[in-house]
Amino acid sequence: MRIVVALGGNALARAGGKGSWSEAVGQMELAAPVLAQVVGRGHELILTHGNGPQVGRLLRQDELAEGEVPFLPIHVLVAESAGQIGYLIQEALAPALRRVRARRTVVPFVCRMEVAPTDPAFRRPTKPVGRYYSDSEARRLRRDARWTMALDRSRGGWRRLLPSPRPRRWLEGRTVRDWLERGFGQSCVPVVTGGGGVPVVARGRGRYDGVEAVIDKDLAAALVARQLNADVLVIATDVPGIALGFRSASPVWLRKASLRQLGAAATRGEFDPGSMGPKVEAVTEFVRRTGRVAIVTEISSLVRALDGGAGTTVSRL
Ligand code: ADP
Ligand code: MG
């Protein structure tokens, strides 16, 4: 089978950690044996991943260097984060692959994702990035930097909001698919569209310009899975799967879900817009358009989830 796995932030960084490199490697080493087991079964494995904390860190570094080193645009930071995380995955996954005697090389790609310049997201930024700011800092940044900012009452601070346009086309997708069709998936593990891919808009004559936006990694993963003709899309995260009544005293974890069931639950507002919402949207889109299955699972249960013994498996019926 050809399996696309999207790794969430928790596979890459420990919640509440200091953010050191050795900590990131240690965290990724927890996910690596499970990913290697999938490869050990002979499946083709294609990885993608989020980049929220890593981009937040790059933004902070830019902020601290202000006046000395010019700011880099967000799309460049997305490309940087994909390089950094791709390398992290190489460090941790390569030895795990060796242990299962899989002769595969982890190969990260810097990927561009085309978005529409007319996407309504550009007029209404929704995705929080970077650190929390005080009232007075927020006032200054809105005025001077013209940032859109939102108050997060639970954390008592302001955050910058960026547009999160829908991914339309993965520019390098056809090439990666051609390679897979030639058997490349048996000799390597491609890491693609990290952080949702670098958001670009078409300017004509083969030219694409980066834009100040971030693409949801789950929606990008659904597009990748379709463009690569994957058999299964897996969204690996930090909860056992999709729950109904998630915030209630007794959440019900779904082992199986149909598109109709998920649609009805989404209408009732069961899925938070910044977390489970895009995952449900991503799996729904993949399943609806391909008739194949998609899985939401905790990374540690990945292998069992592929056998239907853990996670939530979403299918048309
Ligand atoms: P990732 O970094 O893997 O993308 P997110 O934090 O974006 O992770 O999304 C996973 C989170 O979604 C869970 O930790 C959980 O708090 C939240 N969540 C919201 N609604 C639900 C639901 N109905 N079922 C399961 N998890 C939910
Ligand atoms: Mg997320």
Side-chain angles (χ1 to χ4, degrees), residues 39-167:
V39 170
R41 290 186 171 194
H43 298 305
E44 290 179 16
L45 177 67
I46 298 97
L47 296 177
T48 181
H49 58 81
N51 68 349
Q54 291 77 12
V55 162
R57 177 196 185 110
L58 292 169
L59 282 168
R60 181 68 183 140
Q61 288 173 355
D62 267 5
E63 217 172 48
L64 292 170
E66 193 176 354
E68 193 172 330
V69 186
F71 269 41
L72 287 172
I74 297 284
H75 51 92
V76 180
L77 301 188
V78 174
E80 276 193 43
S81 74
Q84 178 192 128
I85 298 167
Y87 168 52
L88 171 71
I89 297 172
Q90 286 178 312
E91 283 230 317
L93 187 52
L97 289 172
R98 211 188 141 96
R99 281 195 294 277
V100 298
R101 297 178 202 288
R103 292 179 166 277
R104 290 196 207 180
T105 314
V106 181
V107 187
F109 293 84
V110 173
C111 295
R112 293 169 302 167
M113 193 61 91
E114 185 178 350
V115 301
T118 52
D119 194 303
F122 287 109
R123 276 179 277 119
R124 207 175 66 84
T126 52
K127 175 78 183 161
V129 292
R131 68 179 178 97
Y132 288 79
Y133 295 91
S134 69
D135 289 348
S136 59
E137 283 176 312
R139 222 172 298 122
R140 183 177 59 77
L141 288 164
R142 294 169 105 150
R143 190 189 57 219
D144 299 347
R146 306 182 66 80
W147 285 3
T148 305
M149 300 192 79
L151 180 62
D152 179 344
R153 289 184 196 283
S154 63
R155 299 279 293 266
W158 293 81
R159 284 184 94 190
R160 178 179 185 187
L161 297 181
L162 283 178
S164 188
R166 287 195 83 79

Side-chain angles (χ1 to χ4, degrees), residues 240-269:
I242 304 175
L244 297 182
F246 177 69
R247 306 232 167 263
S248 76
S250 47
V252 176
W253 295 95
L254 302 173
R255 176 55 36 83
K256 285 183 174 177
S258 67
L259 294 185
R260 185 190 298 181
Q261 200 179 0
L262 286 187
T267 311
R268 292 196 303 273

Side-chain angles (χ1 to χ4, degrees), residues 6-11 50 127 216-218 235-247 252-253 270-280 296:
L7 300 170
N10 68 299
K127 175 78 183 161
D216 183 83
K217 72 113 179 16
D218 298 314
I235 311 257
T237 185
D238 59 354
V239 284
I242 304 175
L244 297 182
F246 177 69
R247 306 232 167 263
V252 176
W253 295 95
E270 296 263 4
F271 312 123
D272 295 349
S275 56
M276 191 48 70
K279 295 186 200 319
V280 168
V296 178

